[in-house]
Amino acid sequence: MYQSFTGNARRSRQVNLSGRNANPFGASAPATRPSAASAGTQNTLANAQQERLSRQRERDRLDAARNLQRIWRGCAAREGIKADFRRQWDELEGFHAEMFSSSGRGMTDSGAESTPSPFPSPAKGMLEMRLLPHFFDPVSEDDLRRLDLSTSKLLQSHREGSIDLRGARWQDTLWRLGRLSLRALGSDKISPVMVDRQLGLLAILVDTIPTQMAQISGLYYQTLASLINHDRKHTFLLPSRTSALLEAVLRPLQAPQPSAQLGYEGLTSCFLTTPNLQTRFTDFDLLLSTLNFHALCGALITVLEASKTGTQKDHIDQEGRLWLLAYFIHFQSLSTEAAKSSSTPDIDYVNVVSDLLRSLAEEISKRLDVEDFHMETRSDGQTASKGSTTHAPLPPFVREQLLSLVNQESVTRLLHYADTLADNGLASGSLDLGRKSRSRLLASYALTLLRIFPRKADEIRMWLYLGSVNVTSPSSTNVDTRLPTVKFFWQASRRTEVFRLISSDPLAAVSLLRPEVSPTTRREQQIAQSLDPDVRDQEWRIILIFFELYSFVLKVMDDEEFFSAKSMETGELLPRSSSWTKKSALPLGEVQDLTVFLKNLGFTLHWNASNLVGMNATPTTDDIRTYFNSERARGLDVPQKEESESKTPSTTVAGVTGMTVEYVKGIVTGLLRMIYERDSRRRFLPKDHWLMTGRFDMEAFIPAVVSEEENRHRIQEAEENDSEDDERLSDEDMPSSSGLVGTQRARRTQNLERLRKQQLKASRKKYLEAITPRLEILQNMPFFIPFATRVQIFRRFVYWDQHRRRGGFIDPDQWRMSIMGASRFAPMEERSPGQDIISRHHAKIRREELFDDAFEQFYSLGDSLKEPIQITFVDRFDTVEAGIDGGGVTKEFLTSVTNEAFSPSKGLDLFVENDQNLLFPNPAAVDERKDLLKQAGIAENSPEWNESVRDLLRRYEFLGRVIGKCLYEGILVDVGFAPHFLLKWALTGGSKAASRESSYRANLNDLRDLDEALYQGLLQLKNYPGNVEDFSLNFTITDTISTPRRTEDGHEAPSTRTITRDLRPNGSNIPVTNENRLFYISYVARHRLQVQPRAQTNAFLRGLGEIIQPEWLAMFNQSELQTLVGGDASEIDVDDLRRNTLYGGVYTIGDDNQEHPSVQLFWSVMRALSDLDRRKVLKFVTSTPRGPLLGFGQLNPRFSIRDAGADQERLPSTSTCVNLLKLPRYHSAQILQEKLLYAVNSGAGFDLS
């Protein structure tokens, strides 16, 4: 028998009310018209469900009725009990409403007053006071009169001494009476005279029962704040009443401890969070000046700590925190004015302001620069703001106080209170890094200022950079005892536990940046246990503020200052006459320690990006529910919800808003690259110091990188398709002000689609970071990988791209055959596209008009210039030159175009040379073109004007494509670019970033490559010991434009004119001073290196990026890019060249595998030549004096030698298009050397055949 047998063998009835087929094996009914039987079943089911719902609604109705009756009975019972207590009190007092008429006893609403009588006995007074809490209702005017009458009698009895309120039996009664009084003061129906009496009562209660009143200090100060904000403040806040209110505010603060401290906490959380106290409370400044500063700071610290732990009784919202911060800053300024000196800020002040700023960082950043709202009425009766944002601007008083934090005096004075650190032995290495150390508080405060005031970030960095901390004075009196701020924070950073852990173990950065993730390994557990979370965050703040300052210092520090630093440990400090920038330089040994830390941290940030960024995914501000909001659908600005409701806060580094892992990654990568550039210009670090090959499997590295690039390209293509869809959606958007009926559904659909695209894009970014860690390293910190490996990766990228674009046919002839073959087998109407592709990649080029013909025929190709092209050279009579383009003519064409375009003597003036004959885009090219158009009488911004300017920029873009084509095909060109221009190539890596110089930042050292004289002048200005205002400089700059002008005799003569431009708004009225000269220098460098040549540079980089992915260029620095373009500048390796040489004609190597005697003579002569002569020979044959990066095996076409007859007097000749040397069969090495050098130095080539 089954264990489930119940004793009843009858099968239980199965009732199915769902309408679904209960037979799992039964087929679903076909979609045909239901039968009458099935229709009846459905109707029965529907009726049963409706009856069930009706019964449930009836039950709910009855339950609701019972609840209402119960609540009503309870309220009636309570009111009855209150009425009984009220009747007892009235019988005891003989109270009735008529007694408060104008002629009655006591006080009237108008304020007429008669002397109150005391309680006849303490017992009666006690009884009345105990009855009041049982029935008092602040909404009832009669109850307010009853309370006022009792209060009057109690005060009179206290004055006469008939009742001793300090007795133990009065403690609880008085506490209850105090709560009633606070409730009464919060009532809108209380009269002004009653207010005076209740304030007097509260004063007595605070003195009598200070401990009990301290427990309700929050309610106490909240009530006082409501009095100040009362609608009838003009009646309440008379001068006499204001003084009474001031006394009421101060009384709890004068009580014995710990009651006074509780009073300060209530004042902080419930009174100083009230808006506009400075205008509504006339004695507000007097109140602030009376407060105890340290007690207020202690209360603020306690309240803020309680809010962090969630134990705070009175929650302070964001608006209240804003006013609290503003009042506290104002309080500090009043204290400073009272001291009549620029007193040093207290450590508690820095701690409080820093904590408040961190908690308000996001709120302040949203509202700081928002313009005032101007509400306008819409046509549909709704109101909407004219601004583009829904965030309300900060109140003027709050904004004024916040901005007072960001000025030079405030920031510099902040550093003074750290001077006592000198007494702690900073120079000896015993810097205090405890939980409350001043260095940590300073770092937290400064870092928060940088994040909240991004528009003033550079000024804040400069003020901090100009600040200093006093150190222990050495014996010599002519040595400066001030320690620059950047060195102060460096000394603090290098002694942190975070710095030590990451310097020794790169993987420690994961645990230190992701503290919320549970440790999985023993090492992670050790790291988690070794650092307190608060200490860890504070140490990160010290390190991050040092990164900010040192990045700023490197931008204004020249190389001589960088390499002249002295170490503090040696006891050798710089003399007072040294420049402040020079004093801020770190010793080179310490810079090496810094790079070790940066390398380990940067490697982890990029290699483990998927683990780190995943925790910082910040949701979009617009929740999906807002897309279904009818107000938003009509284009209205709807108020946003509280921050806690509208979005989840993202995890930050060091607990500072905005300090995400992405921020840390950016600043670490930027700082690391700046130090690497210094080392590239002038090596000071050990060989292979930058390499981190031990972290990779180098044997599988190149294939893995190529695979990652394929994945990246696939995802990037999907993003580009989505971008096109987004543009289409934005174009189809309806006007937000149309308010058309019936458009809400379409808007919601579009908004949902945008939200989906945003989420998809974010997920793709995370996925890309997870699957391309090697690419992340190569694009951001390529110096971790050897240069030769990166060159191989670059060539593999090009090969993969060629294979993808050409359908697997990489050889030009095979590609053309595949195109023609596909066209041949296609239908007749589809054959023309294939032929069109071939014809578009073929061009006739006149040697006299080489660049113009190339531009005219190949510009329209765009990125299709990557495909093989065919060139036919013709003379001025359109006669075709003999020869077949098997690749060599294309090389000749590309090298000839670059020679003509980049040569200043050709008259194109697209590029100019610096003092080292290195090229960069002509900064004045656009201005000169506009000046020529003005001379021609063409109206500015007319179609003809704009087309002429665009034509100039298209030529720059085409030149970028030509250089990209040379890199793509592995063709070396003899062109040298200025380092600052090449740096823009390297720092423009990123998706669609080639159209702007997004990552390049101009600095003083780059200016040296552009204009040596200007660089030296700015250097003298920076280090000038006197007052720079003597030079009468302002924030303007003069650009010189040189254009030819026609003279009276009809000839053209060069003419120059100048244009004065502002470096910043209203710059002509801003003088250059000692304080802002660094800004002036940076603005000048930015104008010369970025602003003036922006259009030309962007056009060139746009063209270059169409052929070579910007991410590929990001793998190299400026010197490496020059090597990539023009070849290796090292000594010519004759043996490598010999191994990779092809022979033709008589010189072809036969079965004996022996070289021809003339060929052997040639190689013996090449070995005997100097490296300079070898380079001349190489340029004679290949048109470039440098060899390929990976050896001559990469030369395309290969170096070749063919016999040119037996005439001993004939000179060698070349065909540079195919790298071919035509060498006669000389009999002696002497003759060969003489003829070879003669031909090389004479510049002869193809003509001497």
Side-chain angles (χ1 to χ4, degrees):
M1 182 176 293
Y2 296 105
Q3 296 180 357
S4 60
F5 181 67
T6 61
N8 187 358
R10 183 180 179 181
R11 186 175 182 180
S12 60
R13 182 185 178 190
Q14 301 292 330
V15 180
N16 180 14
L17 297 179
S18 66
R20 299 176 182 174
N21 189 354
N23 182 6
F25 303 100
S28 58
T32 58
R33 186 174 182 177
S35 63
S38 62
T41 303
Q42 293 177 359
N43 291 335
T44 302
L45 177 62
N47 293 334
Q49 290 176 343
Q50 289 297 326
E51 292 175 0
R52 186 178 182 181
L53 290 175
S54 299
R55 292 193 299 270
Q56 183 62 40
R57 283 196 295 266
E58 181 64 20
R59 285 192 294 269
D60 293 342
R61 188 184 67 80
L62 293 176
D63 290 341
R66 283 192 291 268
N67 288 334
L68 287 175
Q69 292 172 5
R70 186 176 65 254
I71 293 172
W72 175 254
R73 286 194 299 268
C75 289
R78 285 192 295 272
E79 289 300 323
I81 294 174
K82 287 184 179 180
D84 292 340
F85 282 116
R86 190 177 287 112
R87 188 163 43 252
Q88 293 179 32
W89 190 92
D90 291 345
E91 292 173 355
L92 188 65
E93 180 60 36
F95 176 87
H96 54 87
E98 290 76 7
M99 67 182 293
F100 279 91
S101 62
S102 60
S103 60
R105 177 172 55 89
M107 183 178 322
T108 65
D109 291 344
S110 62
E113 185 177 356
S114 61
T115 303
S117 60
F119 285 116
S121 66
K124 184 177 181 180
M126 176 74 70
L127 182 58
E128 281 193 23
M129 293 302 171
R130 288 183 174 180
L131 287 173
L132 273 174
H134 292 294
F135 66 83
F136 178 76
D137 185 358
V139 179
S140 172
E141 294 184 4
D142 287 342
D143 283 355
L144 289 173
R145 294 190 182 101
R146 290 183 177 92
L147 176 64
D148 183 59
L149 179 59
S150 295
T151 301
S152 302
K153 287 188 174 185
L154 182 65
L155 292 177
Q156 186 64 25
S157 300
H158 178 68
R159 282 192 292 267
E160 294 180 1
S162 60
I163 295 179
D164 183 13
L165 298 180
R166 296 184 182 277
R169 56 196 301 264
W170 279 93
Q171 299 293 311
D172 184 66
T173 302
L174 292 180
W175 179 77
R176 294 176 181 273
L177 180 62
R179 295 183 67 89
L180 291 185
S181 178
L182 293 176
R183 292 176 61 191
L185 287 173
S187 174
D188 292 335
K189 298 184 178 180
I190 190 170
S191 66
V193 180
M194 290 181 185
V195 171
D196 292 337
R197 198 145 9 228
Q198 297 305 318
L199 290 178
L201 173 64
L202 291 176
I204 292 176
L205 295 179
V206 170
D207 292 339
T208 306
I209 51 171
T211 303
Q212 290 85 343
M213 292 300 294
Q215 299 298 326
I216 57 172
S217 59
L219 177 62
Y220 179 91
Y221 282 107
Q222 186 178 358
T223 303
L224 297 183
S226 66
L227 281 178
I228 296 176
N229 286 328
H230 200 281
D231 293 338
R232 292 176 290 172
K233 60 183 182 296
H234 60 279
T235 305
F236 281 152
L237 301 183
L238 298 174
S240 59
R241 193 162 291 117
T242 301
S243 60
L245 190 57
L246 175 63
E247 178 65 22
V249 173
L250 293 175
R251 186 62 66 92
L253 309 179
Q254 299 166 353
Q257 293 293 351
S259 299
Q261 184 63 25
L262 293 176
Y264 269 102
E265 292 177 13
L267 175 78
T268 298
S269 59
C270 297
F271 188 80
L272 293 181
T273 56
T274 307
N276 298 313
L277 287 177
Q278 80 286 354
T279 57
R280 296 182 179 181
F281 190 25
T282 55
D283 288 341
F284 182 67
D285 285 353
L286 179 60
L287 167 65
L288 293 181
S289 62
T290 311
L291 297 178
N292 184 294
F293 177 77
H294 292 288
L296 180 62
C297 289
L300 275 168
I301 294 173
T302 302
V303 169
L304 294 177
E305 289 292 335
S307 65
K308 293 178 183 178
T309 58
T311 59
Q312 184 180 355
K313 296 181 181 179
D314 303 301
H315 174 72
I316 307 177
D317 59 10
Q318 294 293 86
E319 194 70 20
R321 285 174 178 260
L322 281 173
W323 284 101
L324 178 60
L325 175 60
Y327 296 145
F328 190 67
I329 298 172
H330 183 58
F331 177 39
Q332 171 65 18
S333 64
L334 291 178
S335 302
T336 303
E337 292 176 3
K340 296 182 180 180
S341 65
S342 57
S343 61
T344 300
D346 191 271
I347 185 172
D348 291 333
Y349 169 79
V350 179
N351 192 13
V352 169
V353 174
S354 180
D355 283 348
L356 283 173
L357 283 176
R358 281 203 308 275
S359 65
L360 293 168
E362 191 168 353
E363 184 77 11
I364 295 175
S365 60
K366 287 178 182 177
R367 301 171 57 184
L368 183 62
D369 297 318
V370 177
E371 297 181 357
D372 294 338
F373 277 178
H374 298 284
M375 306 304 293
E376 62 177 356
T377 302
R378 302 172 62 92
S379 59
D380 55 2
Q382 301 291 335
T383 58
S385 63
K386 293 182 179 179
S388 60
T389 177
T390 58
H391 300 296
L394 289 175
F397 178 78
V398 176
R399 176 183 172 85
E400 177 186 356
Q401 298 304 317
L402 288 176
L403 292 179
S404 68
L405 297 176
V406 283
N407 57 69
Q408 184 172 6
E409 179 183 359
S410 175
V411 174
T412 304
R413 189 175 67 243
L414 184 69
L415 297 170
H416 291 171
Y417 91 97
D419 290 346
T420 56
L421 289 174
D423 299 332
N424 296 333
L426 176 61
S428 61
S430 59
L431 179 63
D432 176 28
L433 291 176
R435 182 184 296 270
K436 296 296 183 182
S437 72
R438 302 193 175 193
S439 59
R440 288 179 174 174
L441 291 178
L442 271 177
S444 176
Y445 184 82
L447 200 61
T448 306
L449 288 183
L450 287 173
R451 304 313 302 167
I452 292 180
F453 304 98
R455 295 190 178 183
K456 289 182 171 289
D458 283 339
E459 294 174 283
I460 295 172
R461 293 186 189 99
M462 187 186 70
W463 296 330
L464 289 171
Y465 153 74
L466 293 174
S468 62
V469 178
N470 288 334
V471 297
T472 305
S473 176
S475 58
S476 178
T477 59
N478 65 341
V479 176
D480 201 344
T481 61
R482 294 180 305 157
L483 182 67
T485 311
V486 64
K487 283 191 172 181
F488 169 74
F489 282 118
W490 162 240
Q491 297 297 334
S493 297
R494 67 189 302 205
R495 292 181 172 90
T496 60
E497 190 68 12
V498 170
F499 188 92
R500 185 191 66 80
L501 288 172
I502 296 179
S503 296
S504 58
D505 182 9
L507 298 179
V510 178
S511 300
L512 295 172
L513 289 169
R514 301 185 61 203
E516 78 290 346
V517 178
S518 301
T520 56
T521 64
R522 179 176 297 180
R523 177 59 176 164
E524 291 178 351
Q525 293 175 356
Q526 293 175 351
I527 294 173
Q529 296 172 359
S530 63
L531 273 179
D532 181 83
D534 290 339
V535 174
R536 180 198 60 242
D537 288 347
Q538 291 170 5
E539 290 187 353
W540 271 120
R541 292 167 198 161
I542 294 176
I543 294 171
L544 291 176
I545 193 61
F546 166 71
F547 287 170
E548 290 276 4
L549 291 181
Y550 196 53
S551 299
F552 177 82
V553 169
L554 289 181
K555 292 176 182 178
V556 299
M557 181 183 295
D558 63 271
D559 287 343
E560 295 303 321
E561 293 170 331
F562 180 83
F563 290 104
S564 62
K566 302 293 183 181
S567 174
M568 284 188 59
E569 280 75 2
T570 62
E572 185 179 0
L573 297 178
L574 295 171
R576 294 181 183 272
S577 59
S578 301
S579 67
W580 192 245
T581 310
K582 192 173 185 178
K583 294 176 182 178
S584 301
L586 299 183
L588 298 184
E590 296 180 11
V591 174
Q592 181 174 347
D593 296 338
L594 173 62
T595 57
V596 173
F597 172 76
L598 289 172
K599 282 169 50 184
N600 291 344
L601 178 57
F603 175 83
T604 303
L605 286 168
H606 290 283
W607 186 256
N608 302 93
S610 59
N611 297 330
L612 296 174
V613 178
M615 70 167 185
N616 286 280
T618 304
T620 56
T621 304
D622 294 330
D623 189 86
I624 191 171
R625 289 168 294 184
T626 63
Y627 288 90
F628 293 97
N629 191 310
S630 59
E631 298 296 323
R632 185 184 181 99
R634 292 200 300 267
L636 304 180
D637 290 327
V638 295
Q640 298 292 321
K641 293 185 177 182
E642 290 294 329
E643 197 67 26
S644 60
E645 300 177 4
S646 62
K647 86 176 181 179
T648 305
S650 61
T651 307
T652 58
V653 176
V656 180
T657 300
M659 298 294 178
T660 61
V661 172
E662 287 298 320
Y663 158 78
V664 178
K665 184 189 298 184
I667 193 171
V668 168
T669 303
L671 183 56
L672 202 56
R673 295 192 74 142
M674 282 193 283
I675 300 176
Y676 174 72
E677 289 169 16
R678 301 272 183 172
D679 188 55
S680 300
R681 289 195 295 264
R682 180 175 167 184
R683 185 166 297 280
F684 67 94
L685 293 173
K687 184 181 179 182
D688 298 337
H689 172 78
W690 295 102
L691 297 181
M692 296 192 73
T693 52
R695 303 286 178 183
F696 307 99
D697 179 10
M698 295 307 297
E699 293 183 359
F701 187 80
I702 296 179
V705 170
V706 175
S707 176
E708 290 181 5
E709 173 63 16
E710 294 176 1
N711 294 331
R712 184 203 62 80
H713 180 78
R714 185 174 61 255
I715 296 176
Q716 184 176 345
E717 281 187 338
E719 289 183 353
E720 290 176 354
N721 294 334
D722 290 343
S723 300
E724 293 176 359
D725 294 340
D726 292 342
E727 293 174 1
R728 177 180 55 80
L729 284 175
S730 61
D731 293 340
E732 296 174 358
D733 274 352
M734 303 175 190
S736 58
S737 59
S738 61
L740 296 177
V741 177
T743 61
Q744 295 186 13
R745 185 180 297 275
R747 287 186 177 279
R748 290 172 183 171
T749 302
Q750 292 174 359
N751 290 332
L752 281 173
E753 183 65 18
R754 288 196 189 93
L755 179 63
R756 188 186 69 82
K757 297 290 186 183
Q758 292 174 0
Q759 294 173 344
L760 183 61
K761 186 176 181 180
S763 63
R764 281 174 178 164
K765 180 181 178 183
K766 295 178 186 177
Y767 177 70
L768 189 62
E769 290 175 337
I771 65 174
T772 59
R774 296 168 184 82
L775 278 180
E776 287 285 310
I777 296 291
L778 283 172
Q779 293 169 12
N780 294 280
M781 290 169 289
F783 36 82
F784 287 177
I785 307 299
F787 175 56
T789 304
R790 283 180 276 137
V791 174
Q792 294 179 42
I793 293 172
F794 176 78
R795 297 314 313 172
R796 290 286 296 272
F797 283 172
V798 171
Y799 179 84
W800 165 79
D801 192 59
Q802 290 175 339
H803 190 275
R804 179 183 61 85
R805 292 180 61 92
R806 301 177 186 180
F809 300 98
I810 298 178
D811 181 77
D813 292 332
Q814 293 181 1
W815 174 77
R816 296 187 188 98
M817 291 297 294
S818 67
I819 295 294
M820 295 305 298
S823 178
R824 183 180 303 113
F825 293 105
M828 292 296 296
E829 61 274 8
E830 298 180 6
R831 292 187 181 182
S832 57
Q835 298 173 355
D836 180 64
I837 292 175
I838 299 299
S839 62
R840 290 177 63 226
H841 287 78
H842 176 268
K844 284 186 177 182
I845 303 296
R846 296 170 295 175
R847 290 192 179 271
E848 294 79 8
E849 303 292 338
L850 191 65
F851 179 78
D852 290 336
D853 286 353
F855 173 74
E856 180 179 353
Q857 299 193 48
F858 284 140
Y859 176 80
S860 60
L861 287 180
D863 63 350
S864 295
L865 191 62
K866 291 182 179 182
E867 272 61 82
I869 58 176
Q870 278 186 308
I871 304 298
T872 301
F873 284 110
V874 297
D875 58 17
R876 69 184 64 182
F877 304 107
D878 202 30
T879 302
V880 177
E881 293 184 3
I884 299 175
D885 189 358
V889 179
T890 300
K891 174 180 177 293
E892 177 72 14
F893 162 74
L894 292 174
T895 54
S896 299
V897 169
T898 55
N899 289 336
E900 179 175 329
F902 293 110
S903 176
S905 61
K906 299 296 182 179
L908 290 178
D909 294 332
L910 296 176
F911 278 70
V912 293
E913 292 181 339
N914 62 7
D915 296 339
Q916 292 78 36
N917 298 322
L918 299 176
L919 297 166
F920 57 91
N922 183 5
V926 174
D927 289 330
E928 290 173 355
R929 174 61 62 91
K930 292 179 179 179
D931 201 51
L932 289 174
L933 294 174
K934 289 180 180 179
Q935 295 180 32
I938 299 175
E940 189 172 355
N941 293 326
S942 64
E944 187 177 358
W945 172 289
N946 294 333
E947 179 59 27
S948 179
V949 174
R950 281 195 294 266
D951 178 74
L952 174 65
L953 297 180
R954 281 194 289 264
R955 293 174 182 272
Y956 278 103
E957 185 179 355
F958 179 70
L959 271 180
R961 293 178 190 168
V962 170
I963 293 297
K965 177 69 172 177
C966 294
L967 290 171
Y968 197 76
E969 301 294 346
I971 297 174
L972 302 179
V973 291
D974 188 17
V975 178
F977 293 106
H980 77 273
F981 179 56
L982 288 167
L983 190 59
K984 296 177 182 180
W985 302 16
L987 294 181
T988 315
S991 178
K992 293 189 176 180
S995 60
R996 63 187 183 277
E997 301 170 50
S998 58
S999 300
Y1000 174 75
R1001 294 294 180 267
N1003 60 74
L1004 184 59
N1005 290 286
D1006 290 343
L1007 197 60
R1008 190 171 197 172
D1009 300 326
L1010 180 76
D1011 190 335
E1012 179 71 23
L1014 178 61
Y1015 166 78
Q1016 294 296 338
L1018 292 177
L1019 204 60
Q1020 294 177 7
L1021 176 67
K1022 187 184 73 170
N1023 300 326
Y1024 184 67
N1027 188 357
V1028 299
E1029 294 187 55
D1030 297 340
F1031 299 123
S1032 301
L1033 297 173
N1034 54 28
F1035 277 78
T1036 59
I1037 195 168
T1038 301
D1039 293 336
T1040 302
I1041 300 175
S1042 178
T1043 55
R1045 295 182 182 271
R1046 192 169 298 279
T1047 60
E1048 296 179 355
D1049 57 359
H1051 295 86
E1052 288 188 351
S1055 175
T1056 60
R1057 71 181 186 93
T1058 59
I1059 300 177
T1060 301
R1061 293 186 168 97
D1062 285 344
L1063 292 173
R1064 59 187 300 181
N1066 197 30
S1068 58
N1069 296 323
I1070 303 176
V1072 178
T1073 64
N1074 287 353
E1075 289 74 24
N1076 63 17
R1077 57 179 163 183
L1078 290 180
F1079 279 139
Y1080 173 77
I1081 293 172
S1082 64
Y1083 283 146
V1084 170
R1086 179 175 176 270
H1087 178 83
R1088 287 285 182 244
L1089 293 167
Q1090 280 186 277
V1091 176
Q1092 191 181 13
R1094 174 174 287 130
Q1096 303 91 297
T1097 303
N1098 286 351
F1100 182 91
L1101 293 178
R1102 185 166 54 250
L1104 179 63
E1106 290 177 353
I1107 308 300
I1108 303 295
Q1109 286 283 345
E1111 293 88 348
W1112 302 352
L1113 297 175
M1115 296 190 299
F1116 307 98
N1117 63 19
Q1118 59 268 43
S1119 60
E1120 293 168 345
L1121 282 171
Q1122 180 59 59
T1123 305
L1124 204 64
V1125 172
D1128 192 0
S1130 60
E1131 185 176 347
I1132 299 298
D1133 187 349
V1134 177
D1135 292 331
D1136 181 52
L1137 178 61
R1138 186 175 187 176
R1139 284 192 301 270
N1140 293 282
T1141 298
L1142 302 178
Y1143 303 98
V1146 177
Y1147 293 156
T1148 302
I1149 297 178
D1151 296 337
D1152 59 357
N1153 204 27
Q1154 296 294 320
E1155 294 175 340
H1156 192 276
S1158 297
V1159 172
Q1160 295 179 7
L1161 289 177
F1162 171 78
W1163 293 119
S1164 64
V1165 168
M1166 284 292 292
R1167 281 197 180 86
L1169 294 178
S1170 65
D1171 187 63
L1172 179 61
D1173 287 335
R1174 292 177 189 172
R1175 291 186 178 279
K1176 290 180 180 179
V1177 173
L1178 187 62
K1179 184 174 182 179
F1180 178 64
V1181 179
T1182 67
S1183 74
T1184 179
R1186 292 177 292 274
L1189 305 177
L1190 302 179
F1192 286 97
Q1194 301 294 319
L1195 188 63
N1196 183 26
R1198 291 287 188 91
F1199 190 91
S1200 305
I1201 303 177
R1202 193 182 72 187
D1203 71 289
D1207 187 355
Q1208 300 297 301
E1209 298 298 324
R1210 183 174 180 175
L1211 294 175
S1213 60
T1214 62
S1215 293
T1216 57
C1217 59
V1218 290
N1219 298 334
L1220 174 63
L1221 173 63
K1222 302 172 185 177
L1223 184 68
R1225 297 189 295 274
Y1226 297 114
H1227 299 313
S1228 68
Q1230 181 179 359
I1231 296 176
L1232 190 151
Q1233 181 172 345
E1234 291 176 357
K1235 298 296 183 180
L1236 180 62
L1237 292 179
Y1238 183 85
V1240 167
N1241 293 318
S1242 66
F1246 188 80
D1247 297 335
L1248 298 180
S1249 298

